Amino acid sequence: MTDFIHPGIVLILGAFLLPALPKNFRGPYSVLLATVGFFFTLVAEQGTYGYMSLFGVEISPLVRVDKLSLIFAYIFSFIGLIGIIYCYHIDDWIQQLAGLLYTGASVGVSFAADILSFYLFWEMLSFCAVLLIWSQRTKEATEAGYRYILVHIVGGLSLFAGVMIYIYQTGNLQFDSFMNYSGELFWWLTLIGFVLCAAVPPLHAWLPDAYPSATIYGSVFLNPFTTKAAVYALIRGFPGAEVLIYLGSVMAVYGVIYALLENNLRRLLSYHIVSQVGYMVAGVGLGVITLGLNGSASHAFNHILYKCLLFMSAGAVIYATGKEKMTELGDFGRYAPITALSFFVGAFSIAGFPLTNGFIGKSPIISAAGELKNAFAYIMLNVATCGTIISIICKMGYYTFFSSRKSDYQVRQTPLNMRIAMLITSSLCILIGIFPQFFYYFLPYPMNYEPYTAQHILDTLGIFSFTGLVFAIFLKILKPKPYLNLDIDWFYRVGAKYSIKSLNKTVAPAEYEFINKIWRWLIDGVIIPVSGRITAYEDRKMNTLPAFLSSLAKTISDGLACFHTGKVQDYAFYMLSFIGLVLLLYLLF
Amino acid sequence: MSFKKILYITCLIVVILEIVFLKLMHLGHGYFEFEELPAFGALVGFWGTLFIIIVAKSLSKVVTKREDYYD
């Protein structure tokens, strides 16, 4: 193990030292630890490590480092570092601890070679996420955290069942492609476990429910890890599963439709995660050619960068003003140029404008849909791009940073470390967009792909300009409104309420009216009289025997007492008469 | 010059560029036949956005509720 140090283990073990440190050292220490974790990821060599046997079962190897796991590990450990820089100034070690653990667990997921250690790291993700949600310490956050953990327990159990059946049926502990077993029960169970974490509708409602409830630092950590770890798992386990093409395409459009309706900044961004992960899921489905898988990996990598950038700038807006609804913001660009700049870099990246990393990230997926002649995916993914442009650049950008000021908010200066984190990420978004071939070198499969073709650039420009045109036409209709939009979580939120109500109407009366009465009759009519009888019986029977014995003993001892005179001659007389009695008996018989 | 005027001119320029480079000079090649339509990107942008807005607005008739709905 000397030639490879697992960065995930370093991060997880190192994080537990954090609470023991004095308050002033926690920020610098967590930045140092995240840097060390990122360094160990960078120096990791490809290969397999950690051969061991447990209880006579050969588990080998535990750690696998290949190009696919490396690209995810790079971005997970890097964004962990960015997130830690972003929350450098806060005085809340739980969030820093959870952030470091979350980073470590995601790196662990991407490096896990056997399916059991993969599952352990996978479950750790949900645990860290809930810590970050509960750190907000409000009633909504607590409730959202409970809903999050309940949904993820369902997904985790489905995955666990799938994994156990897989091991039982194949005897194989390696985490490799499941596509040879397509259609079997464990194939479906594992797929459901993965797509739940990838937030594929209708199993997505936990995401826009939980992420906006976390702290602003928490949502920076939340958005890259769980969903993208699921994308990694899908690329590894289900490359080319056709159902994913349609799920992903629908999901990409579904996310932007809801995003367009949203008023809350972070809820809008959360729906964009659903939409963007849709591209990646579709890319995995298109993975019968490696272009699709490469596209998923490259889109996941770039998505993490610009999505974190967007969440960081939304967090900066919330930090500065204390407001997170577009109906209460407006004209914010005037007060925070760096936040506005970072937001628009992120927004143009997510929409895929040329010269940003979003453009070069998702092009391979759309091209893969073209090469496979899948017109449905091709059209849906392009339409989702329109929706992304209109909801993020136009709606969120315009109504937050421009338009007229809608409430009288105070503006607080954002800390330097937050601005540094945003600027580093923005510059990376642009750099990767300018030098795509350098980035493509790190993708899991070799490919010869040029994103900057005349057709592609002009189509993108057309989509951008005409989406802007439609926005200008419908400016009034698209004005944000202070309302809530119901989603699939309605079924379990309202469903839970009604099931409690219906239990109140059915089970509670039955319990009170029926079971309670029988019970009362049983106690009053049977148990108490019977126990009264038993007591009386005890009094009569049980107590008489000891009383008789004691009075007998007293009588005997009273009788004996008259012999105990205390005089020596009396005792001598008793002895002699006893000896005489013995002799007499001897002579007689 | 107002913002809207700039937008209209940009749209016009993009349509002209698309037609000149892709239809007249044949610099690009699409994957599908429908991509051969003149100014395909502009068409997708316009109709796609319109589609999203119409679906979103009709959906909001069902799903949009007051903010204290769950309380």
Side-chain angles (χ1 to χ4, degrees), chain A residues 44 107 111 377 580:
Chain A
V107 175
F111 279 162

Side-chain angles (χ1 to χ4, degrees), chain A residues 373 378 484-486 490, chain B residues 18 31 35 63-65 69:
Chain A
K373 298 285 175 216
Y378 192 79
L484 183 96
N485 298 304
L486 305 182
W490 182 85
Chain B
E18 279 207 76
Y31 297 105
E35 281 184 274
V63 299
T64 304
K65 302 281 174 197
Y69 178 81

Side-chain angles (χ1 to χ4, degrees), chain A residues 106 123 135 154 171 310 312 361 477 510 538 579:
Chain A
S106 331
E123 288 301 307
S135 298
V154 172
L310 287 169
M312 285 193 282
I477 294 184
E538 270 183 3
I579 292 168

Side-chain angles (χ1 to χ4, degrees), chain A residues 227-258:
Chain A
T227 46
K228 261 58 80 187
V231 169
Y232 164 77
L234 286 174
I235 297 179
R236 180 72 81 189
F238 297 90
E242 203 184 346
V243 60
L244 293 177
I245 302 176
Y246 301 101
L247 283 177
S249 313
V250 170
M251 172 180 175
V253 174
Y254 185 97
V256 289
I257 286 173
Y258 262 91

